[in-house]
């Protein structure tokens, strides 16, 4: 039986299950597993859920060096509320950042899509590769209604580049369900969410959205077309998914 077959069977088994049931299954089936957290609304909700199942669960986060102050504040609050959590902060390679910035400038990402993708690769994608080395599976806060690209994602998928399982416990949840959970469980969250920042990344690449705009409209808004940084696409540019 192949890894893809195992994952397809798991996706069928977990269809319609609650995020807590998906997390309990994942923690029970994978010894080397970690939650990837940017400390956005979905991720802090998952941290609360996972801490109630396994208080010393592993979580990693990518510190790009360009995060908002509010993001560091919520990280500190999460560490205080969940002291047993095994949080690993990943940083980009200093030499790669220095070379990129010295060659193309500190705000290179505004100049071209190619530059922005390079910056995302150096600051996010490479550190993600290091963070997932040795893992059997990783957990994300992806939801289907975040972008059109994510509509076909499943609860359990194969991360083809890393050949490990990718678990998406909130894939069927709405934005409203995430916030209902946060408020009901007194989960600390990023203060920027109260300033119309539904999706929060690096400070220079994230803005508040206007009424009626898409939830991801504040990410790389100057490009007008790309809503992914590269963390959830394969090496050939396709979105990471179990099939197709």
């Amino acid at each position: 039986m192949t890894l893809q077959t195992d994952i397809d069977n798991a996706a069928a088994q977990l269809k319609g299950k609650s995020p807590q049931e998906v997390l309990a299954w994942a923690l029970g089936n994978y010894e080397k597993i970690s939650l990837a957290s940017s400390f956005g609304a979905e991720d802090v909700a998952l941290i609360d859920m996972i801490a109630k199942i396994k208080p010393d669960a592993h979580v990693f986060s990518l510190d790009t060096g360009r995060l908002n102050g509010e993001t560091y504040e919520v990280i500190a609050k999460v560490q205080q509320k969940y002291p047993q959590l095994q949080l690993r902060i990943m940083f980009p390679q200093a030499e790669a950042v220095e070379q990129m910035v010295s060659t193309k400038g500190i705000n290179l990402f505004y100049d071209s899509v190619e530059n922005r993708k390079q910056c995302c690769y150096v600051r996010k994608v490479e550190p993600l590769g290091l963070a997932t080395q040795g893992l059997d599976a990783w957990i994300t806060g992806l939801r289907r209604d975040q972008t059109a690209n994510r509509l076909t994602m499943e609860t359990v998928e194969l991360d083809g580049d890393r050949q490990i399982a990718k678990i998406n416990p909130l894939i069927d949840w709405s934005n409203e369900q995430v916030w209902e959970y946060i408020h009901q469980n007194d989960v600390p969250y990023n203060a920027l969410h109260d300033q119309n920042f539904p999706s929060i990344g690096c400070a220079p690449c994230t803005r508040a959205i206007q009424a009626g705009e898409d939830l991801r409209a504040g990410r790389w808004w100057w490009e007008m077309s790309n809503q992914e940084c590269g963390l959830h696409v394969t090496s050939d540019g396709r979105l990471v998914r179990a099939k197709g």
Side-chain angles (χ1 to χ4, degrees):
M1 188 174 293
T2 66
L3 178 58
Q4 181 68 74
T5 301
D6 289 342
I7 286 174
D8 289 344
N9 290 340
Q13 173 188 340
L14 294 169
K15 197 171 187 65
K17 300 292 186 181
S18 70
Q20 292 92 334
E21 289 174 313
V22 174
L23 286 169
W25 174 88
L27 292 169
N29 279 270
Y30 296 103
E31 181 179 355
K32 298 176 181 177
I33 185 171
S34 184
L35 167 67
S37 174
S38 65
F39 293 91
E42 291 80 10
D43 296 334
V44 295
L46 283 173
I47 284 174
D48 186 81
M49 293 177 191
I50 206 169
K52 289 173 178 174
I53 300 168
K54 183 175 171 44
D56 61 347
H58 288 262
V59 177
F60 70 82
S61 185
L62 309 178
D63 186 341
T64 64
R66 301 299 299 267
L67 302 180
N68 293 278
E70 290 87 348
T71 300
Y72 294 112
E73 290 173 8
V74 74
I75 291 173
K77 290 178 180 178
V78 165
Q79 287 180 304
Q80 184 176 20
K81 185 175 177 68
Y82 312 99
Q84 296 183 59
L85 207 66
Q86 302 297 304
L87 176 60
R88 183 185 185 193
I89 305 293
M90 303 297 298
F91 298 92
Q93 298 296 311
E95 289 185 4
V97 174
E98 289 171 5
Q99 181 178 6
M100 178 179 66
V101 169
S102 65
T103 303
K104 296 191 174 181
I106 194 72
N107 285 340
L108 69 153
F109 34 81
Y110 294 134
D111 295 333
S112 69
V113 173
E114 179 186 15
N115 281 1
R116 197 273 296 166
K117 289 183 176 180
Q118 180 184 357
C119 191
C120 286
Y121 184 82
V122 169
R123 295 182 184 273
K124 292 183 176 183
V125 179
E126 281 192 330
L128 174 68
L130 293 173
T132 54
Q133 277 184 0
L135 293 182
D136 299 318
W138 61 301
I139 304 166
T140 84
L142 297 179
R143 292 187 296 106
R144 246 186 222 107
D145 67 358
Q146 287 171 326
T147 71
N149 289 337
R150 299 175 182 180
L151 284 172
T152 58
M153 290 184 132
E154 300 291 346
T155 305
V156 184
E157 302 185 312
L158 174 65
D159 183 333
D161 278 354
R162 299 168 187 87
Q163 287 298 302
I164 61 175
K166 183 176 180 182
I167 318 295
N168 308 309
L170 299 179
I171 199 68
D172 293 321
W173 267 27
S174 65
N175 186 55
E176 291 73 23
Q177 285 175 293
V178 172
W179 281 102
E180 182 179 9
Y181 183 91
I182 287 173
H183 293 313
Q184 287 182 349
N185 292 275
D186 194 26
V187 180
Y189 64 86
N190 195 315
L192 288 175
H193 288 308
D194 293 331
Q195 301 174 39
N196 295 324
F197 284 75
S199 178
I200 303 168
C202 294
C205 301
T206 309
R207 66 161 173 80
I209 65 170
Q210 304 300 316
E213 282 191 304
D214 184 87
L215 293 178
R216 297 274 293 183
R219 302 294 294 274
W220 314 291
W221 67 94
W222 64 92
E223 292 182 11
M224 301 300 293
S225 61
N226 198 307
Q227 296 176 314
E228 299 287 351
C229 63
L231 295 182
H232 302 294
V233 294
T234 62
S235 57
D236 62 2
R238 294 178 293 108
L239 200 71
V240 174
R241 56 170 59 93
K243 298 178 179 178

